[in-house]
Amino acid sequence: MTDEQKSFDALEERLNARKTEYETMPVPDAASQAVQAGIRQAARKRKSRLRWYMSSISAAALILLFTGCIRVSPAFASFVEQLPGMEGIVSMIRQDKGLMMAIDQSLLQKVGVTDEHDGTSLTVEGIITDESRMVIFYTMKGMKEPQKFNYDIDLLDENGKDLPVAFTHSYPTPSPDENVNENMIDVIFTDEASPPEKLSVVFKSRDTTRAEKWKITFPVDKNLTKGMKKVIPVNQTLTVDGQRIDVKQATLYPTRLVLDVNFDPKNTKKVFGLSDLQLVDEQGRAWRTDTSTGEDERSIYFESMYFSIPKKLTLQGSGFSGLDKDELDFTLNLNSHRITGGPPGLKMVGSKVEGKDLIIDFSVAGRMEGGFVLTFREVTDSAGKSYEVPGSSWSSGDGTDDSHTIVSSTIQNGANLKGEVKMNISTYPMKVKSPFSLDIPVNP
């Protein structure tokens, strides 16, 4: 056995050890749902910046899909050598075939810049980026109370302005060295944004008694993936349970495939998303999807097969999550808990005030499965004033009834709300089973 092969085998052994750590971590059932709902909410706001942090419950979504044996290519080994101590993060992204192929094609930009003070250091180890996505790998040493992750993150361009992007950020991953936390930030570039010439990653403590801030600034090498975008026209229509879905085009980037679809505005149902969606090639390999952005005009993100173009590609799904459009709006009496309109089976079971916010507990039939939960676009009081609903949390069980889920929705600055309010549903866990498939012309 050569020294090079011994090195690869040793690296593979370390990575498989990390794999075991992730597989034994407790994974909340709601993990992937939190990812889906958070990204959709962030993208819909489309204000000056689109951002969403993956909560600690969502970290498991990055782990759920990590299966199979780890094999080490020379380029992959080089990647790990460039980012010492990052085996845990490598293990987490190993399930993303597109990212790993990009690494094998030497598209990783090494950064290695550190900001250190107050006993804590932040190091951006490297990035992978194209016109659609950027993945930022970093390590943080000496983080105070990592289990709480009491930090906000800003992404700034070369002019110090917030990037108009959505990004997910997971709970710090475990490391053999408890003083080191390794992680990544996954950035989505919308139509309004593209990779900046220079990027600043800023961590700020949420503890108002301390003014802690770490800032890493570095140039972005956009030449690594320049001109690599490929557009594949599709222009076909799916009809799923009577709902028309126009599949416009697929855009292939080194880090992901973006499928652009339009939901016909004449549809009788509001389609929140397509269930169990995947692209399957002629070998039976499935290329998964994790997020989508937009409303009736929507972009759906899949793993990239840029460096392994299939001969045949089929879009498959089991149905969709959606509601009749006349069930999206309802009136809620906060005193009597009476709901007028809305989907059948939705009940208010209580409420409480926390600071300036009002938290309303709803009971929803079934479990929060399939990537969709109960969320709201806005709440309007009797005077016509609107309130934002920035987030929801949920737990199984309505008393002793495990066939229901309790969803707690936070109405921002709604502590003084009384009487009747109008609520508009943004997503709801109503599944319609109607399997479908559509051939995508890979070489039109």
Side-chain angles (χ1 to χ4, degrees), residues 264-325:
D264 193 328
K266 296 180 181 178
N267 286 341
T268 59
K269 294 181 182 292
K270 176 66 175 179
V271 178
F272 305 128
L274 302 173
S275 303
D276 303 315
L277 201 60
Q278 60 183 2
L279 291 166
V280 181
D281 67 14
E282 74 280 357
Q283 300 179 41
R285 292 182 299 177
W287 306 83
R288 68 183 181 88
T289 179
D290 51 7
T291 56
S292 65
T293 60
E295 289 291 336
D296 285 341
E297 294 186 5
R298 191 170 305 180
S299 294
I300 305 173
Y301 304 108
F302 292 84
E303 291 175 284
S304 175
M305 65 283 295
Y306 190 96
F307 299 105
S308 180
I309 302 293
K311 296 178 180 178
K312 180 182 178 182
L313 204 56
T314 303
L315 178 68
Q316 297 179 353
S318 63
F320 62 88
S321 175
L323 281 178
D324 290 338
K325 290 183 177 179

